[in-house]
Amino acid sequence: MTTTLTPRPEPVRADSPYQSYVYAYPHKSAYRPFTERPALADLWRGEDVGALSLYAHIPFCEMRCGFCNLFTRSTPPAEQVTAYLDALERQAEAVAGALPEGAAFARAALGGGTPTYLTAEELTRVYDLTESAFGVDLSAIPVSVETSPATATPDRLAVLDARGATRISMGVQSFLDAEAHAAGRPQKRAEVDRALAAIREHASADLNLDLIYGIDRQDARTWAYSLDTALEWEPEEVYLYPLYVRPLTGLGRRARAWDDHRLGLYRQGRDHLRERGYEQVSMRMFRRADAPKTQAPDHSCQTDGMVGLGCGARSYTSAAHYSFDYAVGVGQVRSIIADYTSRRQADFGRAEVGFRMDEGERRRRHLLQSLLLAEGMDTAAYADRFGSRPEEDFAATLAVLDGRGWLERDGAPDLLRLTPEGLAHSDAVGPMFFSAGVAALMADYEAR
């Protein structure tokens, strides 16, 4: 597929607390085309598949927000949505056939994009084709679904509730229209309130609300207003995201004063939520302490694999992470979607873009998936898995964190945990553990 490349953005300042959001390691920008496309059956052979995650990606939205760097297309024609679901069904059948016998799923998610951009009937089809292909009852496991103010309608929510969705997440970003518009999200407060009322009326799932700090002209007073307004809906979870400026997303500025401003707003939001009964799970995630605990099968994000469906999804085995091609720019996204929808079922049986995970990269991923959680890292579990201690494998980097006062020193002997200020700097801590190879691939990636 022919691509048009754009210049790389200016590098982030080395001392910025906002280097990179590490939600997965390595990032997709470190993926490259495999020299020989490996068969999925070979990648999954011998893997522990007893507690997999399942992710279905719907790359459509009613609008493209100014801060968004997700793989998504706004307002596609209806025939493309149908063609996409047809391809999703073909892919699901191919992937299911490649998994070892006994594959089982511990949790699932519908993301995007905005899955509820689909009609109620189309959402039903996604559930049906997934359950049919993998023999999984999605109502029996935790399932998270992304929605938006414009698409959280009673008929769609009724489908999610009937199919047992346990978490519905909505990106509000700000309860002030002027701030939402400044972030490139032209929503109206009345629409947000209508959507939240509909979720609380028509769904029994936990509610998560995403808020963004660092928006132009946002200050402590307006940030407190959005926080308090969110809490009026008693969400089980709240995520606090710093505004990031990404290439090809339409927003652009980067300076020390802005970093300091974002960090100040983060601390305000963190303390605000803690004081109102929310427990911190990570830098971004806060969960209401009195919210019922979801009864989920045992699952370990450090070791358990993930099966991704859709052209923006990634999949994880212990030896390789893989996906389809990745882009942010509108033209390239449309091209990748068109390529995906044209594929036959047999074309979904091989991986084409990804990253081979050697022992060193597996150690880094385990550490990052553990240390960036508020509960910290069980170093004994790490030692049992790898035969060495993280204090040995990452001595120099941990010494830097220790020198900055970002590591707890009064915890249990087998616990490695960030201090509250260390958690506040998670987006700087994470990249410190990237391997030289991954860092070079990410630096060499051309945003398109």
Side-chain angles (χ1 to χ4, degrees):
M1 181 166 55
T2 303
T3 60
T4 301
L5 303 182
T6 62
R8 296 190 193 93
E10 178 186 350
V12 179
R13 287 187 0 262
D15 62 342
S16 172
Y18 299 102
Q19 297 287 326
S20 177
Y21 173 23
V22 185
Y23 58 89
Y25 179 80
H27 186 266
K28 260 190 175 182
S29 57
Y31 291 12
R32 295 293 186 272
F34 290 116
T35 304
E36 296 183 3
R37 294 176 57 191
L40 299 190
D42 292 337
L43 292 179
W44 284 101
R45 186 172 292 113
E47 292 287 309
D48 182 353
V49 294
L52 296 170
S53 290
L54 179 63
Y55 179 78
H57 178 251
I58 307 299
F60 306 124
C61 291
E62 76 276 8
M63 62 181 175
R64 184 71 178 265
C65 300
F67 55 81
C68 178
N69 73 322
L70 299 177
F71 182 95
T72 186
R73 176 184 180 179
S74 62
T75 58
E79 57 269 22
Q80 185 176 65
V81 176
T82 299
Y84 185 84
L85 297 183
D86 290 344
L88 196 72
E89 186 165 9
R90 294 193 297 272
Q91 185 192 8
E93 293 291 344
V95 173
L99 294 178
E101 186 177 352
F105 294 88
R107 64 196 65 229
L110 305 183
T114 306
T116 52
Y117 179 85
L118 302 178
T119 66
E121 293 75 16
E122 289 166 341
L123 277 173
T124 298
R125 183 182 177 190
V126 171
Y127 271 89
D128 288 346
L129 72 85
T130 303
E131 292 187 336
S132 174
F134 295 101
V136 58
D137 178 3
L138 292 177
S139 68
I141 61 176
V143 178
S144 177
V145 183
E146 300 282 337
T147 191
S148 69
T151 63
T153 57
D155 59 335
R156 294 174 170 101
L157 294 170
V159 171
L160 299 184
D161 200 50
R163 304 304 288 257
T166 56
R167 179 180 181 269
I168 296 175
S169 179
M170 187 166 76
V172 174
Q173 320 316 351
S174 174
F175 281 91
L176 293 168
D177 287 352
E179 287 186 356
H181 297 171
R185 187 184 184 101
Q187 68 190 20
K188 295 186 181 301
R189 170 67 187 277
E191 186 175 60
V192 174
D193 289 342
R194 178 207 58 77
L196 290 171
I199 291 171
R200 282 314 198 192
E201 180 180 355
H202 298 285
S204 56
D206 285 359
L207 171 64
N208 171 73
L209 296 180
D210 294 343
L211 299 175
I212 286 183
Y213 56 92
I215 300 169
D216 189 34
R217 296 178 187 162
Q218 184 183 54
D219 58 24
R221 178 187 57 82
T222 63
W223 180 225
Y225 175 82
S226 281
L227 290 164
D228 284 334
T229 306
L231 296 185
E232 290 176 4
W233 295 97
E234 299 182 346
E236 283 74 19
E237 293 177 3
V238 178
Y239 272 69
L240 306 183
Y241 286 97
L243 179 63
Y244 263 98
V245 174
R246 305 290 194 183
L248 306 184
T249 60
L251 296 174
R253 64 174 179 174
R254 186 177 293 119
R256 182 184 300 277
W258 186 36
D259 281 347
D260 292 344
H261 181 56
R262 283 185 288 178
L263 200 53
L265 292 175
Y266 164 76
R267 291 172 179 142
Q268 175 190 346
R270 174 197 63 194
D271 296 345
H272 200 84
L273 291 175
R274 283 174 162 182
E275 290 165 2
R276 285 155 180 77
Y278 283 76
E279 297 176 342
Q280 187 168 15
V281 178
S282 67
M283 173 187 170
R284 287 165 171 75
M285 179 183 174
F286 297 80
R287 182 165 178 86
R288 212 177 70 218
D290 64 351
K293 305 296 183 185
T294 301
Q295 297 299 314
D298 290 340
H299 175 81
S300 171
C301 63
Q302 293 88 347
T303 58
D304 293 331
M306 185 163 81
V307 173
L309 299 178
C311 59
R314 66 185 83 194
S315 299
Y316 305 146
T317 72
S318 62
H321 292 185
Y322 63 91
S323 68
F324 294 95
D325 202 2
Y326 171 64
V328 175
V330 173
Q332 293 302 318
V333 168
R334 291 184 177 186
S335 178
I336 293 170
I337 292 174
D339 173 71
Y340 177 83
T341 58
S342 69
R343 295 184 179 219
R344 302 169 302 165
Q345 182 169 322
D347 294 332
F348 291 115
R350 293 182 177 273
E352 53 193 73
V353 177
F355 185 89
R356 295 282 188 178
M357 299 289 290
D358 62 21
E359 181 75 358
E361 299 294 3
R362 286 193 284 271
R363 291 171 190 249
R364 293 176 188 278
R365 181 173 185 269
H366 186 112
L367 181 139
L368 286 167
Q369 297 285 81
S370 307
L371 186 61
L372 297 182
L373 297 177
E375 67 183 12
M377 178 178 184
D378 183 342
T379 58
Y382 178 99
D384 287 344
R385 182 181 180 191
F386 297 112
S388 60
R389 305 279 297 185
E391 299 91 339
E392 302 164 357
D393 295 341
F394 303 100
T397 307
L398 292 173
V400 173
L401 298 184
D402 203 21
R404 296 179 183 178
W406 292 353
L407 286 181
E408 294 277 10
R409 282 303 173 196
D410 56 355
D414 287 328
L415 182 65
L416 191 63
R417 184 167 58 194
L418 295 174
T419 63
E421 195 59 19
L423 273 180
H425 286 79
S426 290
D427 287 4
V429 171
M432 294 171 68
F433 290 95
F434 291 2
S435 70
V438 164
L441 287 168
M442 292 177 66
D444 191 55
Y445 174 75
E446 300 277 5
R448 56 190 177 87

